[in-house]
């Protein structure tokens, strides 16, 4: 007779799943430890006989699902090779919860703060996943596979009358303080800003142990905070001695043997146009009229690949840095100064080796011929953007005619680009006037004018055409040549719909029917909001709806520019991907075969990662300077615009100086407020008062925290 199947109620089913989840959470605290069922039952506080029976049932289920394994009768350990485990990178939010990004999965896996174990921001982790109460997939960290970093920036707090202290880390994404015994203070005193190296994190310990390896100084001081920003992102602020020595040994001569291998363009009118404070000149333009009436325009780029050779310590250092970092008061260059500001820089009245893209254009900016290769040039003049703009606006001066021709051609190219689907984000950038002590004495906004667009269009042209030259054969067919591309994926449809719904409340319409319509709609939206109160806010939201541009070996195109093929070729002094592009282009010009794609993809990912770090560091330095500037304005009132809204409060930006401060909901005493994510607003529960993204408000500056780089504002009624 067949054995009767035991009936398990639905309620009991849910109960056993919940207990299974509690068991996994408890066992994951020390995934290498063997537990018996009594230890497990005690660990989850299931102690009476009925509860223990349920624990045994849940253990059997977990064993059957291969989540745990039995090492000997009645003893269990987490199965680290189980199905349902995934590997990914952990990313913490301010609440202490985290998400794990797993390659190949569309959605990130949510990890509750109780289940993060000893993982820290950016670590590579092994997680086990489960579904809880029918919600989205969740997970628990089983093991840290790879630490992304072991050095952190924070403030030493010595425990009174004890032989130890804790380093409280600056970034709240580091979800723990680091214990430091007195012998490992490294000369630091209480309250010092320091760099601490995490040396050990024993299973079961609440805090990791560390040693202080560098004292940065007193919190809030300018040099301390700038060095803290660089250290926080692991960005070096000086070069190792051997790298400097390697750079000093470089042959700087423009020798005739090398000149003979290149197109000598020293006799053609050539100049640079750059920001007034620039020291490294990556690119120059040459122009001459041909006998057939067309224009020969040369886009000349510093030939860094001639000086920086693969396999040298100089190249290794450049690759590790991957990009120059532009902080408010200084540049942390990718290459030593002797190269970035001297040998490679296209300085006026000096012969320089360059890598060039030379185009023959007619008056309609149509390309009739193109050529790529190594050249030697002589820049006749160094223009600032302001000087070039004066020529465009009618002021007389040297090379006025040439600049006007270039401006005319650039405007035609720009119009065509926009017509073909490019999106025109022309955001102004905040800049600071600093005194001799790097104190901010004024704020201004960098606004792109025709002279900026002139350079931009010719750089875009060179980048696009180099990419097409490598990627397509003469018949326009895909060549399968490996290359490093700058790619920008299509925007997230859900984010676009959310943007459309939101801007409709302001009376703006968007057509999301197809890619082309989206680009047209976005451009119209950006044009229509110009000069209006909601301009900054809608521009910000539109940018957030876009994907992030990255480096890749897969040519998926660049949505924002409307290009099928695009690469970075024009700034090898400050970007390593451009240096890679130069080497590959020369390799293909020499008839070389396609190199290993996987190796190049690894380099592309590293460069993308370092670019993000540099951007975050730059953002932090601007925030620091804004807070420093606003310290002088404590107690003053300003007109502001709500620039962001969250559950705990909203941010207000002061348009005249770009400073942004937080207004906490708990400080609004007239009512209790609730957050509505759909409308980007908070609403008063009793009186219905509303604070929405884009609203104009009057605020008072109440607090300026230099260490947290945070301003606190108060609403003025």
């Amino acid at each position: 007779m067949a054995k009767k199947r035991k009936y398990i109620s639905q309620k009991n089913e849910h109960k056993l799943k919940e207990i299974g989840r509690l068991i996994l959470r408890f066992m994951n605290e020390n995934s290498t430890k063997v537990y018996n069922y009594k230890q497990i039952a005690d660990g989850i506080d299931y102690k009476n006989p009925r509860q223990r029976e349920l624990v045994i049932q849940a253990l059997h289920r977990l064993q059957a699902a291969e989540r745990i394994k039995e090492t000997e009768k009645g003893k269990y350990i987490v199965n680290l090779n189980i199905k349902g485990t995934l590997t990914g990178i952990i990313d913490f939010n301010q609440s202490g919860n985290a998400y794990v990004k797993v390659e190949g999965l569309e959605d990130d896996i949510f990890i509750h703060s109780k289940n993060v174990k000893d993982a820290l921001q950016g670590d590579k982790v092994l997680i086990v996943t489960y579904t809880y109460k029918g919600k989205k997939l969740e997970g628990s960290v089983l093991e840290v596979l790879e630490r992304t970093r072991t050095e952190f920036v924070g403030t030493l707090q010595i425990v009174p009358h004890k032989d130890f202290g804790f380093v409280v880390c600056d970034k709240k994404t580091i979800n723990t303080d680091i214990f430091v015994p007195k012998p490992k203070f490294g000369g630091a005193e209480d309250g010092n800003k320091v760099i601490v190296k995490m040396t050990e994190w024993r299973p079961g310990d609440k805090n990791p142990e560390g040693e202080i390896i560098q004292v940065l100084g007193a919190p809030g001081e300018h040099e301390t905070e700038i060095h803290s920003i660089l250290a926080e992102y692991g960005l070096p602020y000086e070069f190792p001695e051997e790298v400097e020595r390697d750079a000093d040994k470089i042959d700087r001569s423009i020798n005739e043997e090398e000149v003979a291998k290149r197109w000598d363009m020293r006799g053609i009118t050539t100049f640079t146009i750059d920001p007034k404070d620039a020291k490294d000149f990556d690119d120059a333009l040459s122009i001459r009229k041909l006998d057939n009436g067309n224009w020969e325009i040369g886009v000349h780029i510093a030939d860094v690949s001639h000086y920086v050779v693969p396999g040298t310590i100089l190249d290794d250092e450049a690759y590790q840095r991957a990009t120059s970092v532009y902080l408010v008061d200084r540049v942390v260059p990718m290459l030593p100064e002797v190269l970035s500001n001297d040998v490679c820089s296209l300085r006026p009245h000096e012969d320089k080796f360059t890598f060039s893209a030379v185009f023959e254009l007619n008056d309609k900016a149509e390309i009739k011929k193109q050529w790529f290769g190594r050249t030697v040039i002589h820049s006749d003049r160094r223009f600032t953007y302001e000087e070039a703009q004066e020529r465009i606006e009618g002021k007389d001066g040297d090379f006025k005619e040439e600049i006007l021709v270039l401006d005319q051609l650039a405007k035609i190219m720009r119009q065509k680009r926009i017509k073909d689907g490019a999106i025109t984000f022309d955001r102004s950038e905040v800049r600071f006037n600093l005194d001799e002590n790097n104190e901010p004495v004024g704020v201004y906004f960098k606004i792109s004018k025709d002279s900026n667009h002139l350079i931009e269009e010719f750089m875009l042209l060179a980048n696009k055409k180099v990419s097409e030259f490598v990627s397509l054969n003469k018949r326009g067919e895909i060549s399968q040549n490996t290359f490093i591309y700058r790619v920008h994926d299509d925007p997230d449809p859900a984010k676009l719909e959310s943007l459309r719904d939101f801007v409709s409340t302001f009376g703006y319409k968007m057509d999301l029917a197809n890619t082309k319509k989206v680009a047209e709609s976005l451009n119209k939206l950006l044009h229509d909001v110009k000069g209006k109160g909601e301009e900054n806010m809608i521009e910000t939201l539109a940018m957030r709806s876009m994907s992030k541009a990255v480096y890749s070996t897969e040519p998926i195109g660049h949505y924002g520019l409307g290009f099928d093929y695009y690469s970075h070729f024009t700034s090898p002094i400050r970007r390593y991907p451009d240096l890679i592009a130069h080497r590959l282009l020369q390799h293909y010009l020499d008839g070389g075969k396609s190199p290993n794609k996987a190796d190049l993809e690894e380099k592309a990912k590293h460069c993308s990662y370092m670019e993000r770090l540099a951007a975050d560091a730059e953002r932090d330095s601007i925030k620091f300077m804004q807070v420093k500037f606003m310290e002088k304005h404590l107690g003053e009132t300003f007109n502001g615009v709500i620039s962001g809204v969250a559950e705990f409060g909203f941010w207000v930006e002061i348009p005249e100086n770009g400073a942004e401060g937080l207004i906490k909901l708990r400080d609004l005493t007239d009512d209790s407020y609730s957050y509505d994510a759909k409308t980007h607003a908070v609403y008063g529960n009793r009186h219905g008062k509303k604070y929405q993204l884009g609203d104009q408000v009057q605020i008072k500056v109440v607090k300026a925290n230099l260490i947290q780089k945070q301003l606190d504002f108060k609403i003025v009624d």
Side-chain angles (χ1 to χ4, degrees):
M1 188 176 164
K3 195 175 177 182
K4 193 174 178 183
R5 181 181 264 180
K6 190 176 175 183
Y7 173 73
I8 300 175
S9 75
Q10 200 69 25
K11 189 177 174 183
N12 211 37
E13 179 85 10
H14 287 313
K15 186 73 178 167
L16 288 173
K17 276 187 180 176
E18 166 62 4
I19 295 168
R21 201 173 78 88
L22 290 172
I23 291 170
L24 277 176
R25 190 182 283 181
F26 168 69
M27 291 179 72
N28 283 335
E29 286 173 10
N30 188 353
S31 55
T32 56
K33 187 175 173 180
V34 176
Y35 298 90
N36 62 36
Y37 94 91
K38 284 183 180 175
Q39 288 170 314
I40 292 167
D42 287 347
I44 66 169
D45 207 23
Y46 270 52
K47 292 175 183 175
N48 69 45
R50 170 64 187 142
Q51 288 176 324
R52 290 199 166 183
E53 176 59 35
L54 289 170
V55 168
I56 291 168
Q57 288 183 42
L59 284 168
H60 288 160
R61 283 172 159 252
L62 290 171
Q63 196 183 341
E66 296 182 5
R67 296 284 177 102
I68 59 174
K69 56 187 178 185
E70 199 169 21
T71 56
E72 55 185 285
K73 192 157 176 66
K75 292 189 175 178
Y76 303 95
I77 191 169
V78 173
N79 185 4
L80 294 181
N81 300 314
I82 51 174
K83 297 168 189 167
T85 59
L86 295 166
T87 299
I89 305 297
I90 194 163
D91 183 23
F92 285 85
N93 60 25
Q94 285 190 331
S95 66
N97 298 326
Y99 290 87
V100 172
K101 189 169 187 62
V102 178
E103 207 161 309
L105 282 190
E106 196 171 321
D107 293 326
D108 298 343
I109 311 291
F110 175 76
I111 314 287
H112 192 276
S113 58
K114 293 175 185 171
N115 299 328
V116 299
K117 211 174 175 187
D118 59 347
L120 297 172
Q121 178 65 18
D123 286 350
K124 189 176 188 179
V125 293
L126 180 72
I127 62 168
V128 61
T129 60
Y130 45 81
T131 307
Y132 178 51
K133 291 184 178 176
K135 293 180 183 174
K136 275 187 163 181
L137 210 58
E138 284 191 28
S140 290
V141 173
L142 293 176
E143 190 182 358
V144 174
L145 300 173
E146 200 179 297
R147 289 267 181 224
T148 187
R149 60 190 292 194
T150 54
E151 294 177 9
F152 304 95
V153 177
T155 304
L156 175 64
Q157 293 182 357
I158 297 173
V159 179
H161 317 298
K162 299 283 184 183
D163 287 338
F164 61 84
F166 291 91
V167 173
V168 180
C169 296
D170 281 6
K171 290 283 179 185
K172 296 303 170 205
T173 44
I174 306 299
N175 55 322
T176 185
D177 301 335
I178 298 172
F179 172 83
V180 184
K182 192 173 182 180
K184 295 185 178 176
F185 281 0
E189 295 175 1
D190 186 49
N192 279 168
K193 186 77 77 85
V194 298
I195 300 176
V196 61
K197 184 179 177 72
M198 192 171 82
T199 52
E200 189 181 16
W201 199 340
R202 289 185 293 268
D205 284 1
K206 187 184 173 188
N207 302 90
E209 190 169 313
E211 61 177 322
I212 290 168
I213 58 172
Q214 192 179 342
V215 180
L216 295 169
E221 286 184 0
H222 182 86
E223 284 301 304
T224 302
E225 293 303 328
I226 293 294
H227 284 163
S228 295
I229 291 168
L230 291 169
E232 178 59 52
Y233 295 102
L235 301 167
Y237 46 88
E238 46 194 29
F239 287 92
E241 277 183 33
E242 63 269 27
V243 173
E244 294 276 15
R245 279 199 302 272
D246 206 36
D248 286 334
K249 286 178 198 166
I250 282 171
D251 179 7
R252 308 180 191 192
S253 67
I254 304 293
N255 62 78
E256 289 310 310
E257 190 183 342
E258 180 60 34
V259 169
K261 299 174 190 172
R262 298 167 175 258
W263 182 356
D264 190 344
M265 302 185 76
R266 287 178 288 187
I268 302 169
T269 298
T270 303
F271 45 76
T272 59
I273 305 176
D274 288 279
K276 58 186 174 190
D277 54 355
K279 292 184 179 71
D280 54 340
F281 308 133
D282 267 301
D283 53 84
L285 292 176
S286 69
I287 177 169
R288 65 174 171 182
K289 195 161 192 175
L290 300 174
D291 293 341
N292 62 5
N294 291 340
W295 296 99
E296 180 193 87
I297 311 294
V299 181
H300 307 287
I301 310 302
D303 191 0
V304 177
S305 61
H306 174 73
Y307 299 102
V308 180
V309 181
T312 59
I313 57 168
L314 185 55
D315 184 56
D316 291 345
E317 181 73 16
Y319 172 67
Q320 289 307 323
R321 294 176 175 235
T323 180
S324 294
V325 185
Y326 291 83
L327 304 183
V328 167
D329 66 335
R330 71 197 68 191
V331 177
V332 182
M334 182 179 83
L335 298 169
E337 203 166 296
V338 66
L339 283 167
S340 58
N341 294 0
D342 182 3
V343 180
C344 297
S345 184
L346 308 184
R347 303 194 304 188
H349 315 301
E350 294 178 16
D351 292 352
K352 295 286 177 177
F353 290 142
T354 43
F355 213 138
S356 304
V358 184
F359 303 99
E360 183 182 325
L361 301 174
N362 64 15
D363 286 333
K364 294 177 182 174
E366 295 164 338
I367 298 171
K368 297 301 175 184
K369 284 181 189 171
Q370 61 183 32
W371 178 92
F372 306 99
R374 285 184 145 123
T375 52
V376 56
I377 67 158
H378 183 96
S379 174
D380 300 294
R381 170 81 145 86
R382 184 252 157 139
F383 282 98
T384 64
Y385 281 118
E386 289 79 8
E387 289 170 334
Q389 188 64 31
E390 285 174 353
R391 305 287 189 280
I392 293 168
E393 289 174 3
K395 189 175 175 181
D396 287 334
D398 52 343
F399 303 108
K400 179 181 176 179
E401 188 185 335
E402 288 85 349
I403 287 173
L404 287 175
V405 170
L406 290 167
D407 176 57
Q408 196 54 44
L409 293 169
K411 280 172 174 154
I412 296 168
M413 290 192 291
R414 185 174 171 86
Q415 280 171 352
K416 185 177 183 309
R417 213 165 42 78
I418 294 166
K419 193 179 169 191
D420 290 345
I423 298 162
T424 54
F425 284 106
D426 252 348
R427 298 204 73 189
S428 54
E429 296 172 30
V430 67
R431 292 284 189 269
F432 297 89
N433 291 316
L434 305 176
D435 65 14
E436 63 277 6
N437 301 315
N438 285 320
E439 291 291 322
V441 291
V443 178
Y444 66 96
F445 290 91
K446 180 190 155 194
I447 299 163
S448 285
K449 294 187 175 180
D450 288 343
S451 58
N452 303 85
H453 293 156
L454 184 163
I455 292 297
E456 183 185 17
E457 289 307 321
F458 282 103
M459 297 308 119
L460 289 174
L461 178 69
N463 286 335
K464 178 189 178 189
K465 290 300 172 183
V466 162
S467 188
E468 287 178 354
F469 177 77
V470 171
S471 308
L472 305 169
N473 62 25
K474 286 178 181 175
R475 294 187 298 278
E477 299 160 340
I478 296 168
S479 66
Q480 302 299 336
N481 285 333
T482 299
F483 202 51
I484 186 164
Y485 299 96
R486 181 68 168 175
V487 300
H488 184 222
D489 211 345
D490 290 359
D492 181 337
K495 285 183 179 176
L496 281 178
E497 284 170 16
S498 173
L499 177 66
R500 178 194 63 195
D501 295 346
F502 179 69
V503 299
S504 68
T505 60
F506 290 86
Y508 301 109
K509 289 183 179 174
M510 287 184 69
D511 188 346
L512 307 183
N514 57 54
T515 307
K516 187 123 189 239
K517 290 288 184 192
V518 170
E520 282 175 13
S521 285
L522 275 169
N523 279 333
K524 187 171 185 317
L525 178 66
L526 294 169
H527 175 269
D528 291 348
V529 299
K530 275 275 179 259
K532 299 191 177 159
E534 62 268 23
E535 178 185 358
N536 206 34
M537 173 263 300
I538 286 178
E539 274 198 354
T540 303
L541 281 178
M543 285 190 82
R544 284 179 193 162
S545 71
M546 297 284 115
S547 304
K548 286 203 167 41
V550 293
Y551 297 104
S552 173
T553 54
E554 294 299 327
I556 63 167
H558 196 295
Y559 178 82
L561 295 171
F563 294 158
D564 291 332
Y565 296 95
Y566 186 68
S567 57
H568 273 171
F569 177 81
T570 53
S571 292
I573 289 176
R574 60 184 179 91
R575 293 188 305 226
Y576 197 84
D578 302 55
L579 183 53
I580 296 173
H582 280 219
R583 287 170 180 164
L584 285 171
L585 176 59
Q586 188 60 57
H587 177 73
Y588 291 128
L589 287 168
D590 294 338
K593 291 186 177 171
S594 194
N596 185 291
K597 197 169 186 174
D599 289 349
L600 194 60
E601 182 60 31
E602 197 60 38
K603 287 179 177 172
K605 280 181 177 166
H606 168 73
C607 291
S608 298
Y609 174 71
M610 293 307 292
E611 180 186 51
R612 278 199 304 278
L613 285 191
D616 288 343
E618 288 163 23
R619 204 173 297 116
D620 275 6
S621 86
I622 290 169
K623 279 184 185 171
F624 170 70
M625 214 49 100
Q626 280 176 326
V627 174
K628 206 172 188 185
F629 180 74
M630 292 305 291
E631 268 190 323
K632 303 161 192 156
H633 299 282
L634 285 172
E636 293 180 25
T637 57
F638 294 88
N639 291 320
V641 177
I642 296 177
S643 54
V645 187
E647 287 176 23
F648 50 85
F650 53 89
W651 289 268
V652 175
E653 185 178 299
I654 302 170
E656 66 190 74
N657 56 36
E660 191 174 57
L662 179 64
I663 290 171
K664 300 182 183 83
L665 292 191
R666 66 171 184 255
D667 294 339
L668 296 173
T669 53
D670 63 323
D671 203 343
S672 65
Y673 286 83
S674 300
Y675 169 61
D676 183 18
K678 277 191 175 176
T679 58
H680 302 274
V682 294
Y683 295 87
N685 296 323
R686 291 192 304 275
H687 308 306
K689 192 169 182 179
K690 177 181 78 168
Y691 292 103
Q692 189 175 31
L693 199 66
D695 283 355
Q696 294 191 17
V697 290
Q698 199 172 45
I699 59 92
K700 182 187 277 188
V701 184
V702 292
K703 192 177 174 186
N705 187 329
L706 278 174
I707 293 134
Q708 295 297 327
K709 303 170 191 66
Q710 192 175 302
L711 293 167
D712 285 356
F713 293 164
K714 182 183 173 185
I715 289 284
V716 178
D717 293 325

